[in-house]
Amino acid sequence: MPLVLRGRHLGGDLLLTKQAPNQSGNESGNDLMTKIVSLCKRRGFVFQSSEIYGGLKSCYDYGPLGAELKRNIAAEWWRNMVYERDNIVGLDASIMMHPQVWQTSGHLAGFSDPLVDCLNCRERFRADKAPRAEAGSTVNYVQGGKSGGAKLSGAVSPKGYVCPQCGAPTLSEERQFNLMFRTSLGPVDPLTEVARELEGKSLTAAKIREMLEEAAKKNVTYLRPETAQAMFVQFLNVQQSMSMKVPFGIAQVGKSFRNEIVTEHFIFRSCEFEQMEMEFFCEPGTQKEWMNYWRDERMAWYHRYANDKSAFRLRAHEDDELAHYSDECYDVEYRYPWGWGELEGVASRTDYDLSRHAAESGVKLSYFDQQKNDPATGKPGWRYVPYVIEPAAGLTRSVLCFLIDAYAEESGVDAEGETKTRVLLKLHPRLAPYKAAILPLVKKDGQPEMAMELVKEFRRLGINVSYDDKQSIGKRYSRHDEIGTPYCLTIDNDSVKDGTLTLRDRDTAKQVRLPVAEAVAAVKAKLDQ
Ligand code: GAP
């Protein structure tokens, strides 16, 4: 729809002169993250959990606009995965599952990271993420890691790394730390039981630990560390209840929990986070073809919403990186301010999960294809365990990625000749918390009423808009730039007379005058970009 420019320029917009450096410019990554974290708090995207009590480390609350952004990303994923395909259905499984699930999946035995203590400054860290140093070389560090401490030096152990905090080579042995959060289900407190048993007995620490472990096992359960397992253990229920034919997929969005040794970069790595995972079940032998398909689909999905497509890349896993059950894996990586890092994993998981759960549960988790001949016997009908391709994305990590991608600053000269900087979030309209802001210029002369009618029209269409009559029009524009609202629709005196309004575009700051009905159509068209 052509927009008619009638030369009206409302409010304190800047005359843009140049694009200020953003994340792809010369600004340091730390500065950019500091600005994003600050914007997140100031504008209600992400708050520190329990802030009034000093906060809880690595736990975050999504504020009014963060909740919208997160929901919008999840909704776009769900639309793409489930609504736009005939062969993928959804699941919303319980966070707590039978403990045997985690025994069978290998998480109880193997879902751990190597934990090391620094004997100098007491820092606890992940050995595989520690700064590398040449084994046997001498490094300098300060006693206790504190300023003013004695200057020491020591040799790097054959493991070839040092403490990330103080640089000391004096480290404990590595031990495996399981990342699962353990809890108990039911009205039994294992500690009370043990306390009762211990009464009057004098036992060694090892014996007490053994008793505690035994008691904890009785009603132990875990917070899921991934959403994926529910889709394997519900494979048959979903396939049969929905008469799904292979190839088909099960999709799920939800919380996962990992007791990470190191949480980092704001919401990038936290202990409680959300995932968007899909298990795609296919015929053995077709996994390579499906892997290529899903790898490309997932990149295309990120590109659809990104401003800077070059900040996304695919990285194939080396053979020694592959999990033992996987025959191929790609990471979708994003160029975060601190460097390239994982955003999503697309893994070919063979028939490992279904086979393991079938073996342990005794339930046949297989598929019978009447149309195919069994390749082993040549006879009609083939029963097989499907192979799985798994695109596993981080939802909360995507929130961070899209915030970084959208953050921009523009310098310009205002009407008084002063240089000002405009901060904006160039979020894709489908991800933006509000799709438009409806702004009566003044709170009188029928303008609020007309603005409210327009708000109701958008709400009837299911489009989330903001009615905003607070502060000057210039401040309102700035506020909506900063929270990523693609369009501001301003109702003024003329609007009441002739049914037109001013539409201001977030990214160009250009304003056009047009009839109200055309403004509604423009917002709808923007959503289909
Ligand atoms: N089922 C496979 C699986 O869970 P993963 O690579 O461990 O694979 C998938 O997790 C995605 O979940 C990651 O690419 C990342 O985006 C997100 N993720 C994993 N751990 C996270 C954490 N501690 N905090 C935030 N996001 C995390």
Side-chain angles (χ1 to χ4, degrees):
M1 184 204 64
L3 298 179
V4 188
L5 187 64
R6 303 236 181 103
R8 180 81 59 103
H9 192 87
L10 278 174
D13 266 341
L14 306 173
L15 304 168
L16 300 177
T17 53
K18 69 179 170 72
Q19 185 85 21
N22 64 5
Q23 66 271 24
S24 51
N26 56 10
E27 190 169 44
S28 86
N30 277 348
D31 283 354
L32 178 63
M33 279 307 287
T34 306
K35 286 175 181 176
I36 287 173
V37 172
S38 151
L39 185 148
C40 280
K41 179 168 180 188
R42 192 171 67 251
R43 293 299 186 194
F45 281 91
V46 184
F47 306 126
Q48 177 74 61
S49 159
S50 323
E51 192 184 287
I52 61 166
Y53 289 106
L56 186 61
K57 188 174 164 264
S58 113
C59 292
Y60 296 96
D61 295 344
Y62 290 79
L65 300 188
E68 293 297 330
L69 175 58
K70 180 151 68 69
R71 284 170 68 102
N72 291 345
I73 296 171
E76 286 303 289
W77 185 88
W78 194 267
R79 185 164 72 97
N80 178 261
M81 282 292 181
V82 181
Y83 295 161
E84 292 178 354
R85 299 171 199 269
D86 291 326
N87 61 351
I88 301 186
V89 289
L91 182 73
D92 187 355
S94 151
I95 284 173
M96 288 185 287
M97 300 177 74
H98 194 291
Q100 186 63 43
V101 169
W102 308 113
Q103 187 70 44
T104 306
S105 67
H107 282 86
L108 282 180
F111 194 57
S112 47
D113 284 331
L115 173 69
V116 176
D117 289 308
C118 173
L119 304 178
N120 182 49
C121 73
R122 304 285 151 205
E123 173 77 358
R124 285 200 148 167
F125 61 92
R126 266 176 73 169
D128 56 335
K129 300 261 178 188
R132 302 285 116 186
E134 198 186 327
S137 64
T138 302
V139 290
N140 300 323
Y141 60 100
V142 174
Q143 191 169 33
K146 296 195 182 104
S147 62
K151 290 192 173 122
L152 304 172
S153 60
V156 176
S157 80
K159 297 268 186 194
Y161 57 82
V162 293
C163 171
Q165 188 71 23
C166 69
T170 47
L171 308 171
S172 74
E173 285 298 309
E174 285 176 22
R175 56 200 185 281
Q176 290 302 316
F177 176 74
N178 194 291
L179 305 185
M180 304 268 286
F181 278 100
R182 185 161 68 170
T183 184
S184 46
L185 189 64
V188 185
D189 174 11
L191 292 185
T192 310
E193 282 199 0
V194 177
R196 219 176 277 137
E197 278 189 52
L198 285 176
E199 216 169 353
K201 291 182 191 149
S202 157
L203 298 168
T204 61
K207 182 69 193 163
I208 294 171
R209 180 165 181 102
E210 187 189 312
M211 288 170 75
L212 282 167
E213 289 288 347
E214 261 325 294
K217 265 189 212 155
K218 278 187 199 154
N219 51 359
V220 71
T221 187
Y222 301 88
L223 303 185
R224 67 182 178 202
E226 61 171 20
T227 57
Q229 291 303 317
M231 296 182 271
F232 298 126
V233 301
Q234 292 295 4
F235 166 79
L236 262 197
N237 277 334
V238 173
Q239 189 266 320
Q240 290 174 353
S241 62
M242 302 300 287
S243 308
M244 301 304 287
K245 291 198 180 346
V246 170
F248 77 92
I250 308 179
Q252 181 166 210
V253 177
K255 294 232 174 194
S256 292
F257 302 82
R258 296 180 190 178
N259 202 357
E260 299 278 3
I261 296 171
V262 178
T263 52
E264 56 187 347
H265 303 307
F266 192 35
I267 53 173
F268 174 80
R269 191 185 310 282
S270 47
C271 291
E272 178 177 341
F273 56 99
E274 283 180 67
Q275 292 184 305
M276 308 183 284
E277 295 196 286
M278 195 273 293
E279 307 303 324
F280 192 78
F281 302 95
C282 62
E283 199 181 293
T286 63
Q287 67 271 26
K288 173 79 188 154
E289 192 186 309
W290 283 114
M291 170 54 134
N292 292 349
Y293 173 81
W294 282 112
R295 179 198 64 194
D296 297 345
E297 280 286 285
R298 294 305 302 143
M299 268 301 268
W301 186 83
Y302 287 108
H303 279 174
R304 177 165 183 216
Y305 304 99
N307 291 291
D308 181 5
K309 293 188 177 50
S310 73
F312 295 79
R313 73 176 184 193
L314 282 167
R315 188 182 68 80
H317 279 210
E318 302 291 337
D319 283 351
D320 61 358
E321 276 181 278
L322 288 175
H324 59 94
Y325 50 77
S326 177
D327 58 7
E328 198 179 12
C329 186
Y330 284 87
D331 280 350
V332 177
E333 291 191 332
Y334 182 67
R335 194 175 54 225
Y336 299 96
W338 57 90
W340 289 98
E342 183 182 335
L343 177 58
E344 165 161 355
V346 185
S348 175
R349 295 182 70 119
T350 66
D351 59 356
Y352 176 81
D353 303 274
L354 288 182
S355 299
R356 291 279 298 138
H357 285 301
E360 292 301 321
S361 66
V363 177
K364 250 192 209 159
L365 298 177
S366 59
Y367 178 76
F368 185 67
D369 189 338
Q370 289 174 326
Q371 312 300 321
K372 293 260 164 79
N373 289 348
D374 187 328
T377 62
K379 292 192 179 141
W382 181 18
R383 178 168 292 283
Y384 60 82
V385 179
Y387 271 47
V388 170
I389 304 298
E390 175 197 70
L395 170 55
T396 41
R397 199 172 280 187
S398 296
V399 170
L400 178 61
C401 155
F402 285 121
L403 283 170
I404 296 167
D405 174 70
Y407 186 89
E409 291 176 7
E410 287 178 358
S411 291
V413 182
D414 70 7
E416 281 80 47
E418 265 183 62
T419 301
K420 294 236 168 97
T421 300
R422 170 169 98 102
V423 173
L424 62 161
L425 280 187
K426 291 185 170 179
L427 288 169
H428 188 285
R430 283 194 166 269
L431 304 187
Y434 298 121
K435 313 309 176 190
I438 320 296
L439 317 174
L441 193 58
V442 291
K443 289 191 215 169
K444 57 182 184 179
D445 303 333
Q447 291 179 28
E449 291 76 9
M450 187 174 168
M452 214 48 214
E453 274 310 306
L454 185 53
V455 168
K456 282 188 198 151
E457 171 66 12
F458 277 112
R459 288 184 182 156
R460 262 195 298 275
L461 294 166
I463 296 174
N464 190 27
V465 295
S466 158
Y467 174 87
D468 191 351
D469 61 7
K470 297 171 210 92
Q471 300 179 299
S472 72
I473 193 73
K475 287 204 169 120
R476 280 182 267 171
Y477 285 162
S478 302
R479 183 160 58 240
H480 283 284
D481 283 345
E482 254 199 302
I483 63 174
T485 310
Y487 280 146
C488 284
L489 306 178
T490 305
I491 304 286
D492 58 16
N493 226 2
D494 287 350
S495 309
V496 183
K497 288 185 209 143
D498 64 9
T500 62
L501 50 69
T502 298
L503 177 149
R504 175 183 176 278
D505 184 285
R506 173 196 69 199
D507 298 342
T508 61
K510 289 218 171 92
Q511 302 186 12
V512 292
R513 193 80 190 168
L514 73 175
V516 169
E518 284 183 27
V520 175
V523 173
K524 279 168 70 186
K526 194 95 171 158
L527 290 176
D528 291 331
Q529 257 179 24

